[in-house]
Amino acid sequence: MIPKSVFGRTGHLSSRTIFGAAALGSVTQDEADRTLEVLLKFGVNHIDTAASYGDSELRLGPWMARHRQDFFLATKTDQRTYQAAKEQIHRSLDRLKVANVDLIQLHYLVDPDEWKTALSPNGALEAVVEAREQGLTRFVGVTGHDWTVAAMHLRSFERFDFDTVLLPYSHILMQKTQYLSEAGEVFALAKARNIAVQTIKSLVRRPWTGSAHFASTWYEPLVEQTDIDLAVHWVLGNPDVFLNTIGDIHVLPKVLSAASRYTVRPDEASMAALIARQEMVPLFDR
């Protein structure tokens, strides 16, 4: 079973690996059902989906009638204005077949102009806060990726007291000095405020090259179990973060297996050997 830890100020005892439900975006209901059974097998009790993840919310909906109480359920809105975000939130609840979720996040809030719109009067943040006031959610979060995400999250923290945050985090990415510094500030501030930190892109090997994609991720992932073990164990070696799983149902069981066997963070020599062996390249570059 995967160990659990308190998910920041929410107080929820969440599995250290959170199911990244983007993996359900383009699968059948039967495939989704089998995947969710795997989650239960490993003790995963936290699901992170989004309105923009294809059919993900639709695939989760049938399960929520029986298992809503078994999961901390989070979704996201990628709309930037109040009205559009409000409509999308209600559509997400309908698709998920639930009266409420535990967390609604402003999705991929990185572009400065979109950030300004979303966090200004009549912006998307107002819709999420209203949803919280109406009991449609209990917590409010912000997510993002790309090189500038950590710096943008720091700006977001100045504007609003978010309960959760999500950003990329992997050994190879943290070799980039500027990202290491900015992400470090996010982690420090989150710890001081008891903001739950979710991390993504832990299994990036490199950006896709060529046209043959063997996984439903927008990067080429590590696929060998020994390599996945190293990447997953390195992330889980930071006790202040949660690892959101890969967006591919076929690689997912290997991630969960690795998480269930975590004991200690790999040393730098082991991670350097992984980078060299797999010829790893950071997903983002300036």
Side-chain angles (χ1 to χ4, degrees):
M1 298 292 281
I2 294 170
K4 295 179 174 62
S5 185
V6 177
F7 192 60
R9 65 177 67 155
T10 73
H12 186 260
L13 196 62
S14 292
S15 46
R16 288 290 310 282
T17 52
I18 294 168
F19 176 49
L24 303 182
S26 58
V27 304
T28 66
Q29 189 62 52
D30 183 60
E31 289 173 317
D33 291 344
R34 292 200 302 269
T35 298
L36 290 165
E37 291 287 358
V38 173
L39 300 183
L40 294 176
K41 172 186 173 183
F42 281 96
V44 175
N45 67 348
H46 189 138
I47 294 174
D48 183 72
T49 187
S52 61
Y53 287 170
D55 290 337
S56 175
E57 292 177 331
L58 291 172
R59 296 292 170 256
L60 290 167
W63 262 66
M64 290 302 104
R66 289 175 291 148
H67 292 282
R68 175 66 185 92
Q69 71 281 0
D70 298 325
F71 294 99
F72 184 100
L73 181 61
T75 192
K76 310 181 189 79
T77 176
D78 60 1
Q79 297 301 304
R80 301 310 184 214
T81 63
Y82 164 81
Q83 189 59 39
K86 179 178 179 178
E87 292 173 0
Q88 190 175 61
I89 289 168
H90 284 272
R91 177 172 178 264
S92 288
L93 295 175
D94 288 342
R95 283 157 55 98
L96 288 164
K97 301 185 185 302
V98 296
N100 53 63
V101 294
D102 297 293
L103 170 66
I104 297 176
Q105 302 155 98
L106 297 181
H107 194 185
Y108 191 19
L109 196 59
V110 174
D111 178 82
D113 291 335
E114 292 186 9
W115 181 92
K116 183 177 180 180
T117 299
L119 272 61
S120 294
N122 203 37
L125 180 59
E126 286 191 357
V128 181
V129 171
E130 179 181 85
R132 183 174 64 181
E133 292 169 348
Q134 295 173 344
L136 304 182
T137 188
R138 296 188 295 147
F139 303 104
V140 178
V142 62
T143 80
H145 45 89
D146 294 346
W147 267 111
T148 59
V149 62
M152 292 302 295
H153 281 337
L154 292 170
R155 289 183 62 187
S156 295
F157 289 164
E158 292 176 357
R159 182 66 67 88
F160 184 79
D161 189 24
F162 288 97
D163 300 303
T164 72
V165 66
L166 178 151
L167 74 169
Y169 183 59
S170 66
H171 179 270
I172 191 167
L173 182 58
M174 297 301 275
Q175 304 311 299
K176 297 293 185 178
T177 304
Q178 185 167 349
Y179 190 82
L180 171 67
S181 175
E182 293 169 348
E185 289 186 58
V186 171
F187 294 156
L189 186 55
K191 188 168 186 176
R193 296 186 184 179
N194 200 21
I195 299 168
V197 178
Q198 303 169 85
T199 65
I200 55 174
K201 310 295 188 287
S202 61
L203 264 61
V204 172
R205 182 187 180 202
R206 61 178 62 166
W208 283 114
T209 56
S211 58
H213 293 191
F214 56 80
S216 58
T217 49
W218 58 278
Y219 56 86
E220 181 182 342
L222 299 171
V223 294
E224 296 299 327
Q225 186 69 66
T226 53
D227 297 335
I228 290 173
D229 287 355
L230 287 169
V232 168
H233 293 174
W234 187 86
V235 173
L236 294 180
N238 182 341
D240 298 324
V241 308
F242 292 79
L243 183 154
N244 287 41
T245 59
I246 191 168
D248 182 276
I249 62 171
H250 304 293
V251 182
L252 172 67
K254 295 181 180 181
V255 178
L256 300 179
S257 173
S260 72
R261 292 178 286 102
Y262 170 73
T263 56
V264 64
R265 191 177 221 184
D267 58 30
E268 286 299 307
S270 298
M271 298 308 293
L274 170 63
I275 290 173
R277 182 172 65 253
Q278 289 295 339
E279 301 179 325
M280 295 171 69
V281 178
L283 181 58
F284 308 117
D285 210 343
R286 291 192 185 277

